[in-house]
Structure formats: structure tokens, C-alpha cells
Amino acid sequence: MNRSRILLVTGVFPPGIGGMQNYYYNLAKHTKHEITVLAADYPGSSAFDLEQAFPIVRGEFLRGESVDLGRWGSLFRHVRRLLRREEPDVTLYGYVLIGFIGLLFHWFGGRRYIISTHGMDMLMFRRFPGLNQVVKLILRKADGVLTNSEYTRRLVLEYGVDSRRISIVNPGVESIYHKREPSPELIARHDLAGRYVLLTVGRLVTRKGHDRVIEALPAILKRIPNAVYMIVGDGPERERLERLAKEEGVADAVRFVGSVSGSERLNEYFNLASQFIMVARELKEGNAEGFGIVYLEAASACVPVIAGRSGGASEAVLDGVTGLLVDPESTGEIAKAVVRLRSDAPLRERLIRNGCRRAKTQFQHHVLAETFDMYIDQVCASPAKRRKPANKPEPAVGKIHS
């Protein structure tokens, strides 16, 4: 078995919570290759890192949940030190702009690098011509580009990247998600006895579509009077969404749960749900759902799914096969889909059966890791684009501090 050495450079990583954190963690956990992770420091990182089978180096790189480009110099120095110490065969950068570091070490040291992309990062810089040209250069010079969906792959192709250097590795589903009896404690806490529960799990940001579900609730309640909308997650939109629920006259039918930590606890919330709904939409400023692993997590827990027809959601949810897709801007279509799933038992059972089978076969982490490993083998087997020049040292920025 050929084993390559990988350096993964990512801002987001557990014990931080989120889809990208889980994505990179499971690549590191399940790959056959030797991997070292350079990630941002979180509360509880030390205890978490001790439990892992691969080395993790931490640094102060984040501002909120985003890489702080003001600390780019510190990140650069960490990467340089690890390149010299680990001598990896390839470096995987988990955010396109920090891939500029990979571009520099490619130019001045012949280092192979791969950029990992998630959809929104391929859209957000297009309004800024200068940054967009930098993104294009980073992508075109990379030895490979890893995408989380066909949707994201198409966005990368628009930058003129050779299709042969692009690979898709979807996010995976934790095995913890499964059907179980609803928690009496949670039913009592959220006053759900006898209620028909619609559930959304996700950060409270505009693209997730919580507002459209709230706006559709009056029509839903006319047909399903015992319906209640449970929102798990937190974020900058919470105050606006709470105000919207009052304006629509449905505040009594909306539950704001806040953040829930841990897959096992989240599975308990999935098992409260009669339906899972997240009508994500693409925003004008370049903001879209690149894939949406939460749809498959819900499906794995045997919950029927409704998704917005935008971004990569149509890959996570196969319309009429594993769930229903709706126009995320149409409250009428949203309400109609909810009522249809409530009233059409054969359809609901078929979607549950197909969705659960797909989540538990195609989207398990060990299956996806095989695709990732084959891609790493391909990149590392190709000749380096540029050998390290004898008269040009690797770029230096400041001093290195251990």
C-alpha cells in the first residue's frame, strides 16, 4: 500500500462545530495516508487532540468562524515550519485564499498543493475583480482541486481549471444518526406532545431559508393545525427570525432551540421530527449551499426531507426519490410540499426508505475516504510541476516561533 504524507492546513476543525469541521476531521481520521493537521485553536482543543491518532498543530488563525487574514503571517510561518519538518508529498489547503500560501511555496519551492472548495468560497470573491484574479491564479496553479459536490465542481471549472485535476469528495454521514424512540425529556421541554414537528438544523443565516418556512407557516397551519416549527442552531439572523414569527402570527408555533453540541444529541432532535426542512437558496452576493450534509443526516435518522432547489442541495436530495425539492422563494410551494408529505403516506415511506439506504451506503466516511485516497495517489504520482530551484530559497516572513 502506497502511503503519502499530507499536510492539511485548515482554519476550521473540531472541537469546533460545523459541517466543514466534520468534513476535514473525517478525511483525516479515515485516510490511509499519513496526515498532519494545522488548524485553529478552539476551547477544548488540547483534550480533543490527545484522543486523535494523527498529529494536530494549533495556532490562533480565526476571527469568529472565518480565517483571519490579518494573522496570515503567523499562519505562513506555521506552514513553513511544518513543510520543513514533515516534508509532505502534498499540502491540502482548506480555504481558497489561504491557498495563496500554497501558491508561494509552489513558486519558490516546487511544493505540490491541493485546494479544497465548498461552493460559497467559489462565489463570494466574484464581486471583487482583484481578489477574483488571485483566486483564479491559486486554482489554476494548484496540482489539484477537491470539491464537495458537482455543483462546486462546475464553479471551479468556470475559473478555467483543467477538469482532470478536479475531484469530488462529498461530505459523509456519521453512523450515529439512526431512528430511535423520541426523547420524552425533549418532548416535555419543548412542549411537543401531540405536535407535528417540522425541523431545521443549521446556522441561522439568510441562505438557509428559515424565514421562508416561517412565512409559509400560516398556510401550513391551516392544513396541519398541530404543526410546530423547531429551529436547531444559532447565528446572526435569530433576532430577525423571532421578530418575523411574531409578525406572521406564528410565534407560538416556532421553537428556537439554539445550538446543540454532539452528534448523539443532534440525533435525538432528528428523532423528534415528522419532517426535516431546509429550503436553502442562493443569494445575489454569492452565497449558496455547496452540498448540505444535514439533509443526509436527517435521512439517515429516517426523517423525510424537503430541500430548496439551489446550490448543491439537488445532489444531497434526489427529487421524488430521497426527498422533495421546492422553489426556496415560493412559500406556496413550501407549504404544498409539507402538506403533501403529511398526507401521502406511501410517498413519505418511499422517500424515507430510499433516503436512509443512500445515506448509509454511498455517504459513509470510509467509502468517501477511498475516493479521497485515490485522488491523493493520483496527485502524488504526477511529476512535480516545478523542482526546487537551487538559487531561490523558500519565501521567508518574520521569525519562526515554536
Side-chain angles (χ1 to χ4, degrees):
M1 178 179 68
N2 294 324
R3 298 188 70 189
S4 298
R5 294 186 302 275
I6 305 169
L7 173 61
L8 168 60
V9 180
T10 174
V12 293
F13 202 75
I17 298 170
M20 288 175 64
Q21 286 89 335
N22 288 337
Y23 182 80
Y24 291 123
Y25 172 65
N26 281 290
L27 287 182
K29 181 179 178 180
H30 294 279
T31 180
K32 71 175 184 181
H33 297 292
E34 297 177 16
I35 191 165
T36 298
V37 177
L38 173 59
D41 199 16
Y42 287 86
S45 290
S46 297
F48 173 85
D49 295 353
L50 287 173
E51 297 176 353
Q52 308 311 314
F54 51 88
I56 304 174
V57 179
R58 299 284 182 171
E60 295 291 339
F61 308 135
L62 287 184
R63 180 190 298 161
E65 286 298 307
S66 301
V67 174
D68 184 356
L69 296 181
R71 293 173 177 170
W72 186 90
S74 173
L75 178 58
F76 180 97
R77 290 189 291 273
H78 275 79
V79 173
R80 182 179 61 181
R81 183 179 63 206
L82 287 171
L83 287 175
R84 290 174 174 174
R85 189 179 80 189
E86 304 292 332
E87 285 295 331
D89 297 291
V90 66
T91 304
L92 173 63
Y93 291 90
Y95 181 65
V96 67
L97 276 190
I98 63 173
F100 185 68
I101 295 174
L103 178 64
L104 289 178
F105 283 111
H106 166 75
W107 276 343
F108 294 100
R111 303 277 187 176
R112 291 190 183 96
Y113 73 98
I114 297 172
I115 300 296
S116 175
T117 64
H118 294 266
M120 190 174 73
D121 51 345
M122 291 295 95
L123 293 168
M124 62 191 302
F125 302 111
R126 297 191 178 194
R127 295 177 296 136
F128 309 101
L131 277 177
N132 201 46
Q133 288 301 312
V134 173
V135 169
K136 180 184 293 186
L137 186 62
I138 293 168
L139 291 171
R140 287 186 174 184
K141 294 295 183 181
D143 294 85
V145 180
L146 189 66
T147 68
N148 66 340
S149 65
E150 176 60 33
Y151 167 74
T152 305
R153 179 181 177 275
R154 291 195 297 269
L155 295 177
V156 172
L157 284 171
E158 291 175 7
Y159 278 99
V161 177
D162 186 339
S163 62
R164 294 170 296 181
R165 293 191 289 110
I166 306 173
S167 182
I168 300 173
V169 176
N170 298 123
V173 179
E174 299 282 356
S175 59
I176 191 68
Y177 297 111
H178 60 275
K179 186 173 179 61
R180 59 181 293 181
E181 287 299 312
S183 163
E185 181 261 325
L186 290 181
I187 290 173
R189 180 191 301 182
H190 300 295
D191 189 22
L192 300 178
R195 306 303 291 267
Y196 189 83
V197 181
L198 309 176
L199 173 70
T200 299
V201 175
R203 186 164 163 75
L204 305 192
V205 292
T206 305
R207 79 169 188 275
K208 300 286 187 180
H210 304 85
D211 52 351
R212 294 295 180 261
V213 179
I214 291 172
E215 290 167 352
L217 267 182
I220 292 170
L221 289 166
K222 286 182 181 179
R223 298 290 302 276
I224 312 175
N226 64 331
V228 63
Y229 182 33
M230 177 173 286
I231 299 173
V232 172
D234 218 330
E237 286 285 288
R238 178 162 181 165
E239 184 178 337
R240 185 179 76 87
L241 293 171
E242 290 175 337
R243 185 168 60 250
L244 179 63
K246 293 178 181 178
E247 293 170 355
E248 294 289 337
V250 296
D252 291 343
V254 181
R255 306 283 190 272
F256 288 91
V257 175
S259 296
V260 171
S261 298
S263 299
E264 188 168 347
R265 190 60 165 171
L266 187 54
N267 186 63
E268 292 183 333
Y269 277 91
F270 281 130
N271 278 279
L272 297 173
S274 307
Q275 296 181 23
F276 181 84
I277 183 167
M278 190 173 82
V279 289
R281 61 189 187 267
E282 186 170 334
L283 305 178
K284 291 181 180 178
E285 61 268 25
N287 195 337
E289 201 73 14
F291 184 70
I293 193 58
V294 70
Y295 298 119
L296 287 154
E297 292 170 345
S300 188
C302 297
V303 184
V305 173
I306 297 173
R309 192 182 292 107
S310 72
S314 60
E315 297 169 60
V317 180
L318 306 181
D319 192 24
V321 178
T322 68
L324 298 179
L325 295 179
V326 299
D327 178 351
E329 297 289 3
S330 172
T331 56
E333 195 169 323
I334 293 166
K336 184 178 178 180
V338 170
V339 172
R340 182 185 177 194
L341 272 187
R342 171 69 171 80
S343 59
D344 191 337
L347 171 66
R348 184 173 63 253
E349 292 306 313
R350 187 176 77 248
L351 298 181
I352 289 172
R353 184 172 59 252
N354 292 341
C356 185
R357 183 188 305 118
R358 183 170 180 251
K360 290 186 179 300
T361 54
Q362 298 180 39
F363 291 90
Q364 293 300 291
H365 289 295
H366 69 276
V367 175
L368 299 168
E370 290 178 4
T371 303
F372 174 72
D373 286 344
M374 287 189 292
Y375 184 56
I376 294 296
D377 289 341
Q378 174 189 327
V379 171
C380 291
S382 63
K385 290 185 176 182
R386 183 175 179 177
R387 296 179 180 176
K388 184 175 179 179
N391 59 345
K392 288 187 179 181
E394 291 176 349
V397 175
K399 296 180 180 179
I400 303 171
H401 300 281
S402 298

